[in-house]
């Protein structure tokens, strides 16, 4: 096939991108999105501070714009994200334990119910582990007040809210075998052993020269898949340009295709123009929406041309 989405579909995968609602009105942005991708992730619009800035008052407008855009064109939607320490309104951090527990469960239930049946995968919990060698949990209102059990509780609440959605744990710097990915691995293995509902693990895959695509990337995806969960590449971007960047992108796509439970890839933006890496060029389309060598490498790796 001649597009990323259609080529991925021929391999039984989706190929998605992060989308910002405020760019949907730009025709080059929308045309590239609509032509090339068959899954979207709202880049910021489903985060807690966007949806429930004030306790109990839910605003779905800009996320609905993205969901409607996707649904009317047959694209899948990834939900990102329900429980995260960042982009969290300050009122959440001020709650005492019992209140925080009910606010977390209410947020999950309300948000998932709003889009029930429309989201193929949800990042239920995002970035709950520390970087470095400790394998410890990251400090957050949830961790500090509810303890280690908050992740399990969030997943159980999520399953009840939308039983058809795949429930994912999502993190970064877990792309190769290391202390942080080992800690996530141990958690997922424990969840599977105890019947805690988890369906997938998201590997954000933000790469740069200091943190390149690890040589054991495929092996790491495979060891998680072997626990009985799907794996998804959820926020892929790779700093650089030209052939080196293209080769790295090709390696990531080939690793996913080599793991049967790697069900899809999402890049973290349509164009370099709007990447969260302000001065970087980590995506597949340049600032003028021209296809980069990285685009061709991905299309070729997917079997397209
Ligand atoms: O929307 C507000 C606007 O109202 C305000 O006036 C303006 C002033 O700063 O900020 C705007 O919010 C910005 C938001 O993006 C929407 O554009 C925030 O400042 C900015 O910090 C925020 O950045 C996002 C970042 O997450 C925040 O943590 C990036 O766009 C987004 O790409 C990035 O995505 C994360 C994933 O969710 C999780 N994994 C890492 C990834 C990259 O950091």
């Amino acid at each position: 096939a001649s597009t990323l989405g259609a080529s991925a579909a021929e391999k039984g995968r989706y190929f998605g991108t992060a989308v910002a609602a405020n760019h949907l009105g730009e025709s080059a942005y929308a045309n590239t999105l609509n032509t090339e991708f068959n899954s979207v992730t709202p880049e910021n619009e489903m985060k807690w501070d966007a949806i429930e800035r004030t306790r109990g008052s839910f605003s779905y407008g800009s996320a609905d714009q993205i969901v409607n855009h996707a649904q009317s064109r047959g694209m899948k939607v990834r939900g990102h994200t329900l429980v995260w320490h960042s982009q969290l309104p300050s009122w959440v951090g001020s709650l005492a334990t019992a209140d925080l527990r009910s606010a977390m469960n209410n947020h999950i239930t309300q948000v998932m119910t709003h889009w029930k049946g429309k989201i193929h995968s949800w990042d239920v919990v995002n970035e709950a582990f520390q970087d470095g060698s400790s394998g410890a949990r990251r400090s957050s209102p949830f961790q500090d007040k509810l303890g280690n059990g908050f992740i399990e509780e969030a997943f159980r609440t999520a399953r009840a809210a939308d039983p058809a959605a795949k429930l994912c744990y999502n993190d970064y710097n877990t792309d190769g075998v290391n202390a942080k990915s080992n800690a996530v691995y141990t958690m997922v293995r424990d969840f599977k052993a105890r019947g805690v509902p988890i369906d997938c693990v998201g590997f954000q895959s933000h790469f740069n020269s200091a943190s390149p695509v690890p040589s054991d990337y495929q092996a790491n995806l495979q060891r998680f898949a072997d626990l009985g969960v799907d794996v998804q590449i959820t926020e892929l971007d790779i700093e650089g340009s030209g052939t080196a960047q293209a080769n790295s992108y090709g390696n990531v796509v080939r690793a996913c295709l080599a793991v049967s439970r790697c069900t899809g890839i999402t890049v973290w933006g349509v164009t370099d123009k709007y990447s969260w890496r302000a001065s970087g060029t980590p995506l597949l389309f340049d600032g003028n929406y021209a296809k980069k060598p990285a685009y061709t490498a991905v299309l070729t790796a997917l079997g397209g041309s």
Side-chain angles (χ1 to χ4, degrees):
S2 62
T3 67
L4 303 173
S7 301
E10 287 180 356
K11 302 284 189 190
R13 269 75 171 189
Y14 65 84
F15 202 95
T17 177
V19 164
N22 60 336
H23 301 316
L24 288 174
E26 182 181 329
S27 61
Y29 184 93
N31 288 339
T32 306
L33 167 64
N34 298 345
T35 303
E36 293 288 344
F37 298 95
N38 58 7
S39 174
V40 300
T41 305
E43 188 172 356
N44 289 295
E45 294 79 350
M46 288 185 177
K47 293 171 180 176
W48 196 315
D49 68 350
I51 288 197
E52 192 187 7
R53 182 173 282 281
T54 305
R55 189 172 186 183
S57 166
F58 291 81
S59 345
Y60 297 109
S62 48
D64 271 337
Q65 248 184 285
I66 296 174
V67 172
N68 294 339
H69 184 102
Q71 285 229 305
S72 66
R73 291 165 178 82
M75 301 170 174
K76 294 175 188 287
V77 183
R78 292 195 85 261
H80 175 79
T81 173
L82 294 163
V83 181
W84 188 27
H85 65 277
S86 183
Q87 288 174 286
L88 188 64
S90 55
W91 65 263
V92 179
S94 310
L95 301 176
T97 301
D99 229 6
L100 177 65
R101 184 184 303 284
S102 70
M104 179 185 83
N105 288 321
N106 185 54
H107 183 79
I108 294 168
T109 302
Q110 296 294 325
V111 174
M112 289 185 76
T113 301
H114 178 76
W115 287 297
K116 191 172 179 174
K118 296 183 176 177
I119 307 285
H120 78 83
S121 303
W122 264 111
D123 292 331
V124 177
V125 175
N126 196 44
E127 301 175 7
F129 286 83
Q130 283 179 25
D131 292 315
S133 59
S134 71
R137 296 290 188 83
R138 178 198 296 275
S139 172
S140 72
F142 309 107
Q143 180 66 34
D144 300 348
K145 291 177 184 159
L146 307 181
N148 283 347
F150 90 86
I151 301 184
E152 164 173 359
E153 181 161 350
F155 275 83
R156 292 189 192 281
T157 301
R159 179 66 94 223
D162 184 356
K166 300 263 192 199
L167 306 183
C168 307
Y169 176 79
N170 190 52
D171 215 327
Y172 68 91
N173 283 355
T174 51
D175 311 298
V177 176
N178 58 38
K180 190 174 178 183
S181 67
N182 286 345
V184 176
Y185 180 87
T186 301
M187 177 187 76
V188 174
R189 188 176 56 189
D190 170 60
F191 280 13
K192 294 301 287 184
R194 292 190 298 111
V196 178
I198 184 167
D199 305 305
C200 45
V201 176
F203 298 85
Q204 294 185 9
S205 304
H206 292 292
F207 298 121
N208 56 36
S209 55
S211 170
V213 182
S215 57
D216 55 6
Y217 189 62
Q218 181 185 321
N220 190 50
L221 298 176
Q222 186 66 58
R223 73 170 175 151
F224 278 87
D226 289 344
L227 292 175
V229 289
D230 289 344
V231 295
Q232 302 181 12
I233 296 167
T234 52
E235 304 182 15
L236 177 63
D237 55 14
I238 308 178
E239 267 291 22
S241 61
T243 307
Q245 182 181 50
N247 288 342
S248 295
Y249 264 104
N251 289 339
V252 168
V253 172
R254 283 186 289 273
C256 178
L257 293 178
V259 175
S260 59
R261 293 198 75 146
C262 182
T263 59
I265 299 173
T266 299
V267 291
W268 205 239
V270 173
T271 159
D272 286 341
K273 187 176 174 183
Y274 299 129
S275 168
W276 70 287
R277 296 188 191 272
S279 57
T281 56
L283 295 168
L284 302 179
F285 293 86
D286 73 15
N288 297 314
Y289 299 91
K291 294 169 179 173
K292 294 165 60 178
Y295 171 92
T296 309
V298 169
L299 186 67
T300 304
L302 290 170
S305 59

